[in-house]
């Protein structure tokens, strides 16, 4: 026994290599995020591609959401259809902290961040990292933690409920969160304006110690004890006037760290326990996996990252935080990403997040689409050639078929866009129709999603594409 | 006090019976296919909007009557031509092609299906025209308006049944063997499709509309009440709505528990493989279930549009929430259980109305979802559901 222990100890790497191995990827992610913020985004902005910066931010937030849901739906095989609720919890928590914290510490709710959260590129006379950035970071983490607490609460019923019933509980939780936020007071915004210090004067506070007639002023927030916060969050009209802190740095950082954590979890003993629950709950219980505990942990981790994504979403340029946007249709969007990428595939979820975010936008700007039909045609021809080649060498033609399919699709959409331009049909109005049709077709034609359960660099995925044709009926 | 209570109870039962009608569709599909048909609430919305456009078409509103959209005829004509061609193929063509090709060509049987679909479509349009004839024949007569309304109800039910049939055949049937999550995503896809198709200009557009009243707005009875307290009022629409709902539910109950077809449905929901072995045409039974559920949802849509004439746009969140509440009703009553859906609908409808009346409209939904979570925590199978033990 002690012999075994010695051998195990000799197998584990030392403290220093472990520390390096743990810190290196994080440092890499921070470096990439700085690169994106200080070089890539200014270059894109100079080239007039502000729209693409906006898209990239949306994509990164969607990625965090999709990857976090992958941990519940993909790894653990539980079915959560209320993921947007965690996002909403994180969004509102961090929005309150940033908004009222800004009033408390800086006297107004403008962005006072350093270079890392600056979206005015080329300005160099600000510090790298200001106190406001620390406030934002703290708010994000707080949002994540509160969401994780909610994740714990939602995960608990998994002790008793399985499958669809658990799904319904998550749905119910999501709607309760939305309705709770929506039923908050909207009184200060009766004029339809966004919150200004003038409005703030009418905001009812949670602590009545400093309030005069239950209303407080902007100055009062600044001088109030820390535990007294206004409780106005905008209700059904949305929480307006939030400072826009979500810069390329923060989203790349969040997406990178989420990816990192997801891969680490998937390849750890935790991840193997998750996967075993997905494959067979009863068998994994028999093998000594504490099923309920792991399910709850999956919910907690996923909710944490969803909360951070919510915080990022709340402070994105042009977003007015509104509970109606964070209902179960948002949850469905995230589920679509996860299933489209392949249940359990992290890289698949990330790729699907890109596709699902870009596709409707692409249909909204038909010029780009109309110009792409020759490429589609070329792809289709290439696909035909590859198919012929694969067939000649006795391999399955999957890869060629995929190329052909993608090429025909792009060409058809491009020709459609050209026709629409000529006939003056607004294709943008049909974008959700196309999206829905694509979703249905995808589920029927490739039910396992883009990548199945594997990752894009898994050999099995590529082998599957170039596999030898199976002889006879045996599969 | 008593007046308010009675009035709320009556409102709750009126709305609850509509929830029950929608919940039946959810529960029947869940009972048979074990998946949550998220597109069901959109069929309900479609029922409301279809009855609106049929009422406009029939000239039952203040607006001038609008002709039937020509594309409806185009689609039906094309469908009929294809159906006829497929019939010829089924009867004469299929046997004559080499056996090796047959697997790649449409198999026989599609012709009959398409013929049924196109005949069904024509008869729905015919019903709409009947409503128009009735309405023009007896303008301004409230009795004839009501009759026309009844015909519109039938037409909407028939059309939605047809759409339910088509959706099941094209979107759900290929996925019979697929994981349940995939079927669910497909249902979400169908739901998105119906919502966004319904918003297009050549369908219903994006503007909210007002449903013309087909029933006279009369108060049948009025009791209790005093100078300070408003009396309890029994509206005709509530009686007719709840009456129609109860009638349909009784008919459904007889169908499911007293007929051969109903026995087949129950057998398929119990175990579809064994049912197939016993010679039950499982696919047909499943299709029939979808048709039935869609028709009931359309009836609920019609009745809802009569009770609350302001129709929100097809993708509006209020519609989604209504469908969700009906789904909750199905879960609370015990999903998969038909009588449970009726009970759950009445329960959820009353709970919502009481919360609305005694607290505030904005928190009513919290109570509904709270009931859902409480029921799921303490009796996950619902009030009338039976517990199925999962075996290894």
């Amino acid at each position: 026994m002690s012999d075994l222990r010695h051998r195990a100890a000799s197998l584990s790497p030392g403290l220093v290599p472990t520390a390096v191995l743990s810190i290196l990827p994080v440092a890499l992610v921070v470096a990439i995020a700085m690169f994106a913020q200080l070089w890539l985004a200014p270059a894109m902005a100079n080239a007039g591609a502000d729209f693409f910066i906006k898209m990239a931010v949306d994509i990164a937030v969607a990625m965090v959401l999709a990857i976090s849901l992958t941990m519940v739906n993909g790894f653990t095989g539980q079915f959560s259809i209320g993921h947007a609720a965690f996002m909403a919890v994180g969004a509102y928590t961090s929005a309150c902290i940033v908004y009222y914290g800004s009033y408390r510490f800086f006297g107004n709710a403008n962005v006072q961040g350093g270079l890392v959260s600056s979206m005015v590129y080329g300005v160099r006379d600000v510090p790298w990292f200001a106190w406001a950035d620390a406030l934002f970071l703290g708010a994000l983490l707080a949002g994540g933690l509160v969401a994780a607490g909610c994740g714990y609460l939602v995960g608990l019923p998994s002790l008793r409920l399985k499958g669809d019933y658990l799904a319904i509980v998550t749905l119910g939780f999501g709607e309760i969160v939305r309705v709770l936020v929506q039923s908050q007071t909207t009184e200060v915004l009766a004029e339809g304006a966004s919150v200004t210090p003038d409005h703030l004067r009418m905001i009812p506070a949670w602590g009545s110690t400093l309030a005069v007639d239950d209303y407080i002023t902007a100055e009062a927030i600044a001088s109030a004890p820390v535990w007294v916060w206004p409780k106005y969050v905008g209700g059904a009209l949305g929480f307006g006037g939030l400072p826009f802190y979500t810069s390329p740095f923060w989203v790349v950082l969040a997406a990178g760290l989420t990816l990192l954590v997801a891969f680490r979890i998937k390849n750890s003993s935790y991840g193997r326990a998750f996967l075993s629950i997905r494959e067979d709950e009863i068998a994994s219980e028999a093998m000594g996996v504490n099923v309920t505990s792991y399910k709850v942990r999956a919910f907690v981790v996923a909710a944490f990252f969803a909360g951070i994504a919510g915080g990022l979403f709340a402070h994105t340029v042009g977003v007015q935080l509104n509970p109606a946007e964070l209902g179960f249709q948002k949850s469905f969007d995230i589920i679509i990403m996860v299933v489209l990428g392949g249940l359990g595939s992290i890289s698949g979820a990330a790729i699907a997040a890109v596709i699902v975010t870009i596709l409707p936008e692409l249909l909204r700007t038909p010029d780009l689409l109309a110009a792409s039909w020759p490429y589609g045609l070329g792809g289709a021809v290439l696909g035909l050639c590859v198919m012929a080649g694969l067939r000649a060498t006795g391999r399955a033609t999957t890869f060629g078929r995929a190329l052909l399919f993608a090429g025909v699709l792009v060409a058809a959409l491009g020709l459609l866009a050209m026709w629409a331009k000529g006939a003056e049909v607004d294709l943008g109005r049909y974008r959700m129709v196309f999206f829905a049709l694509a979703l249905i077709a995808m589920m029927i034609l490739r039910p396992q999603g883009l990548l199945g359960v594997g990752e894009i660099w898994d050999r099995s995925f590529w082998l599957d594409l170039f596999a030898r044709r199976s002889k006879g009926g045996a599969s | 006090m008593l007046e308010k209570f009675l009035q709320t109870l009556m409102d709750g039962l009126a709305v609850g019976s509509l929830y029950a009608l929608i919940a039946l569709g959810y529960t029947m599909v869940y009972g048979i296919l074990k998946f949550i048909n998220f597109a069901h609430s959109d069929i309900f919305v479609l029922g409301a909007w279809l009855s609106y456009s049929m009422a406009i078409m029939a000239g039952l509103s203040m607006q001038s009557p609008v002709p039937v959209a020509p594309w409806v005829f185009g689609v039906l004509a094309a469908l009929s031509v294809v159906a006829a061609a497929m019939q010829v193929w089924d009867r004469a063509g299929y046997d004559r092609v080499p056996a090796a090709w047959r697997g790649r060509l449409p198999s026989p049987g599609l012709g009959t299906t398409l013929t049924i679909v196109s005949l069904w479509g024509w008869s729905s349009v015919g019903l709409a025209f009947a409503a128009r004839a009735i309405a023009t024949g007896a303008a301004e007569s409230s009795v004839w308006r009501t009759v026309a309304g009844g015909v519109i109800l039938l037409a909407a039910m028939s059309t939605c049944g047809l759409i339910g049939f088509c959706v099941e055949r094209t979107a759900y049937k290929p996925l019979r063997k697929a994981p349940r999550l995939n079927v669910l995503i497909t249902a979400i896809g169908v739901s998105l499709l119906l919502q966004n198709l319904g918003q297009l200009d050549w369908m219903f557009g994006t503007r909210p509309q007002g449903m013309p009243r087909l029933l006279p707005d009369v108060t049948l009875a009025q009791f209790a009440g005093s100078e300070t307290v408003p009396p309890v009022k029994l509206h005709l629409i509530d009686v007719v709505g709840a009456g129609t709902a109860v009638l349909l539910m009784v008919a459904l109950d007889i169908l499911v528990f007293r007929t051969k077809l109903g026995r087949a449905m129950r057998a398929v929901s119990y175990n579809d493989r064994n049912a197939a072995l016993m010679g039950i045409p499982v696919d047909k039974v499943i299709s029939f279930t979808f048709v039935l559920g869609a028709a009931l949802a359309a009836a609920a849509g019609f009745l809802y549009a009569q009770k609350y004439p302001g129709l929100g746009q097809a993708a509006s969140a209020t519609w989604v929430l209504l469908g969700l509440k009906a789904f909750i009703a199905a879960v609370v009553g015990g999903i998969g259980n038909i009588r449970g859906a009726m009970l759950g609908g009445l329960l959820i409808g009353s709970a919502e109305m009481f919360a609305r009346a005694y607290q505030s409209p904005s928190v009513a939904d919290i109570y509904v979802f709270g009931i859902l979570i409480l029921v799921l925590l303490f009796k996950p199978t619902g009030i009338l559901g039976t517990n199925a033990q999962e075996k290894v």
Side-chain angles (χ1 to χ4, degrees):
Chain A
M1 195 64 195
S2 65
D3 188 39
L4 261 181
R5 212 168 281 158
H6 279 300
R7 273 175 61 191
S10 72
L11 277 175
S12 74
L15 187 66
V16 174
T18 314
V20 170
L21 275 179
S22 313
I23 292 170
L24 202 62
V26 178
L28 199 66
V29 167
V30 175
I32 294 174
M34 284 311 266
F35 171 76
Q37 170 74 14
L38 297 179
W39 191 83
L40 207 57
M44 281 165 83
N46 274 340
D50 293 301
F51 176 70
F52 290 97
I53 299 181
K54 171 100 181 70
M55 282 306 300
V57 169
D58 288 352
I59 287 172
V61 174
M63 253 187 210
V64 176
L65 286 169
I67 295 166
S68 63
L69 188 63
T70 296
M71 294 178 200
V72 176
N73 283 19
F75 295 176
T76 323
Q78 300 309 299
F79 191 27
S80 166
I81 40 180
H83 207 56
F86 301 128
M87 189 187 170
V89 169
Y92 273 93
T93 308
S94 58
C96 280
I97 292 176
V98 169
Y99 189 73
Y100 294 118
S102 292
Y103 271 111
R104 189 182 288 271
F105 298 126
F106 314 120
N108 59 47
N110 302 330
V111 179
Q112 356 242 335
L115 273 183
V116 286
S117 53
S118 163
M119 248 107 36
V120 187
Y121 305 106
V123 181
R124 294 281 160 185
D125 55 347
V126 286
W128 287 80
F129 192 87
W131 280 111
D133 294 316
L135 177 70
F136 181 58
L137 182 62
L140 283 184
L141 291 176
L145 286 177
V146 175
C150 293
Y152 181 75
L153 285 182
V154 174
L156 272 187
S158 66
L159 182 69
R160 286 177 62 96
L161 302 173
K162 281 179 186 169
D164 290 343
Y165 291 109
L166 187 61
I168 297 164
V169 167
T170 59
L171 180 81
F173 167 73
E175 288 304 293
I176 285 180
V177 167
R178 185 182 61 76
V179 174
L180 270 180
V181 176
Q182 262 177 347
S183 62
Q184 296 297 315
T185 176
T186 55
E187 256 172 50
V188 278
L189 285 183
E191 311 295 315
S194 63
V195 182
T196 65
D198 278 348
H199 286 118
L200 208 56
R201 218 160 273 144
M202 296 167 59
I203 293 172
W206 270 314
S208 60
T209 44
L210 88 163
V212 184
D213 297 337
D214 275 346
Y215 295 116
I216 54 172
T217 62
E219 295 77 42
I221 296 177
S223 57
V226 182
W227 59 87
V228 177
W229 289 74
K231 71 170 184 180
Y232 172 78
V233 292
L237 292 175
F239 198 168
L242 295 175
F244 300 139
Y245 274 102
T246 307
S247 66
F249 172 79
W250 291 114
V251 290
V252 173
L253 187 72
L257 289 182
T258 313
L259 270 170
L260 203 63
V261 171
F263 281 122
R264 283 284 171 95
I265 285 182
K266 195 181 182 184
N267 294 322
S268 69
S269 55
Y270 269 82
R272 283 190 289 278
F274 287 160
L275 296 181
S276 76
I277 293 172
R278 176 186 74 190
E279 295 303 328
D280 193 325
E281 205 172 314
I282 295 168
S284 63
E285 197 165 11
M287 297 305 290
V289 175
N290 187 345
V291 172
T292 306
S293 151
Y294 274 99
K295 281 185 196 167
V296 173
R297 284 176 210 188
F299 266 105
V300 168
V301 176
F304 176 77
F305 284 106
I308 286 189
L312 290 170
F313 172 76
H315 298 92
T316 307
V317 179
V319 165
Q320 157 120 358
L321 189 55
N322 194 321
E325 274 179 43
L326 300 174
F328 79 112
Q329 269 154 347
K330 184 80 185 174
S331 305
F332 282 170
D333 283 352
I334 310 169
I335 294 174
I336 287 168
M337 290 172 201
V338 171
V339 177
L340 219 54
L343 268 179
S345 170
I346 301 166
S347 48
I351 294 169
V354 177
I355 295 175
V356 171
T357 318
I358 284 186
L359 202 62
E361 291 300 321
L362 206 62
L363 289 167
R364 197 183 280 177
T365 50
D367 284 348
L368 204 64
L369 207 60
S372 65
W373 73 267
Y375 302 101
L377 208 60
V381 172
L382 187 69
L384 275 177
C385 295
V386 172
M387 265 174 86
L390 287 171
R391 179 164 288 218
T393 53
R395 287 160 204 280
T397 52
T398 321
F399 185 62
R401 280 214 307 264
L403 264 181
L404 178 67
F405 183 73
V408 168
L409 197 70
V410 171
L413 277 177
L415 288 175
L416 191 71
M418 280 188 70
W419 170 80
K421 234 164 98 178
E424 297 192 341
V425 175
D426 184 9
L427 217 52
R429 303 195 123 197
Y430 288 82
R431 66 182 199 282
M432 287 311 289
V433 175
F434 286 127
F435 186 69
L437 283 174
L439 196 65
I440 298 169
M442 178 87 185
M443 282 302 106
I444 293 173
L445 297 175
R446 196 174 165 81
Q448 72 271 42
L450 286 174
L451 299 182
V453 292
E455 302 298 340
I456 193 161
W457 46 84
D458 279 354
R459 263 178 84 232
S460 58
F461 170 65
W462 295 99
L463 283 182
D464 183 40
L465 286 182
F466 293 104
R468 288 220 163 258
R469 189 192 297 269
S470 62
K471 297 260 162 55
S475 56
Chain B
M1 220 49 232
L2 185 71
E3 286 85 354
K4 190 178 179 187
F5 179 82
L6 282 177
Q7 184 72 57
T8 314
L9 187 68
M10 239 148 50
D11 286 346
L13 293 182
V15 172
S17 54
L18 299 187
Y19 284 158
L21 270 187
I22 312 169
L24 283 169
Y26 278 114
T27 218
M28 283 193 296
V29 168
Y30 190 89
I32 287 189
L33 289 181
K34 298 281 176 294
F35 95 97
I36 306 167
N37 181 13
F38 274 112
H40 190 63
S41 65
D42 299 283
I43 300 276
F44 158 68
V45 182
L46 194 69
W49 271 99
L50 271 179
S51 40
Y52 161 77
S53 28
M54 284 174 192
I56 296 294
M57 199 194 90
L60 286 167
S61 75
M62 292 296 138
Q63 304 172 31
S64 56
V66 185
V68 190
W71 59 266
V72 172
F73 290 105
V75 166
L76 280 177
L79 199 66
S80 308
V81 170
V82 173
M86 290 306 296
Q87 285 283 7
V88 173
W89 162 254
D90 283 0
R91 292 182 203 288
Y94 188 76
D95 294 336
R96 301 198 185 163
V97 295
W101 282 87
R102 280 183 201 159
R104 306 187 174 199
L105 295 168
S107 57
L110 206 57
T112 316
T113 308
L114 287 179
T115 311
I116 293 173
V117 168
S118 52
L119 282 179
W120 198 343
W122 285 116
S123 56
S124 296
V125 172
L127 273 175
F129 270 94
R132 180 175 203 158
I134 291 169
T136 43
E140 299 307 311
S141 150
S142 63
V143 175
W144 282 105
R145 271 178 89 86
T146 312
V147 173
V151 177
I152 286 175
L153 171 67
L154 287 182
M157 283 172 75
S158 164
T159 315
C160 281
L162 179 63
I163 288 163
F165 176 80
C166 294
V167 163
E168 197 273 327
R169 280 289 154 123
T170 50
Y172 301 146
K173 199 183 164 202
L175 290 165
R176 247 345 109 65
K177 299 268 184 300
R180 294 220 306 260
L181 195 54
N182 287 68
V183 193
L184 199 101
I185 301 280
T186 312
I188 295 169
V190 172
S191 161
L192 278 177
L193 185 69
L194 289 177
Q195 280 179 13
N196 289 289
L197 275 180
Q199 280 198 350
L200 294 175
D201 291 338
W202 44 272
M203 288 289 284
F204 309 123
T206 46
R207 272 187 304 168
Q209 302 284 1
M211 176 84 186
R213 278 198 183 282
L214 302 178
L215 279 175
D217 186 17
V218 290
T219 306
L220 285 184
Q222 185 168 323
F223 50 92
S226 59
E227 277 161 18
T228 50
V229 184
V232 184
K233 281 184 182 170
L234 189 60
H235 293 284
L236 178 64
I237 172 65
D238 288 345
V239 175
V240 171
T244 315
V246 168
L247 209 66
L248 285 171
M249 283 189 272
V250 169
L252 182 80
D253 203 80
I254 291 172
L255 177 79
V256 172
F257 291 102
R258 297 271 188 280
T259 65
K260 214 171 161 184
L261 187 60
R263 198 185 301 153
M265 284 170 68
R266 281 180 291 142
V268 172
S269 91
Y270 197 71
N271 188 330
D272 55 343
R273 273 195 195 178
N274 283 358
L277 286 175
M278 296 298 124
I280 292 170
V282 174
D283 279 339
K284 279 183 189 162
V285 170
I286 291 174
S287 291
F288 180 73
T289 309
F290 270 86
V291 171
L292 214 57
L296 292 178
F302 174 87
L303 296 171
Y304 190 85
Q306 284 302 311
K307 188 162 166 57
Y308 302 101
L311 295 183
Q313 61 168 357
S316 159
T318 37
W319 287 122
V320 178
L321 206 58
L322 277 171
L324 215 55
K325 279 179 206 156
F327 170 65
I328 290 172
V331 175
V332 166
I335 195 153
N337 186 312
I338 287 174
R339 286 169 186 167
M342 302 176 190
L343 183 68
L346 296 181
L347 200 69
I348 292 293
S350 320
E352 188 193 347
M353 283 301 153
F354 274 105
R356 258 172 206 275
Y358 284 90
Q359 208 159 0
S360 84
S362 61
V363 296
D365 293 342
I366 296 179
Y367 283 92
V368 172
F369 288 105
I371 290 178
L372 168 78
I373 287 186
L374 283 182
V375 166
L376 280 178
L377 284 183
F378 294 108
K379 193 164 186 326
T381 48
I383 297 171
L384 293 185
T386 47
N387 201 0
Q389 190 65 44
E390 193 182 338
K391 297 195 184 77
V392 183

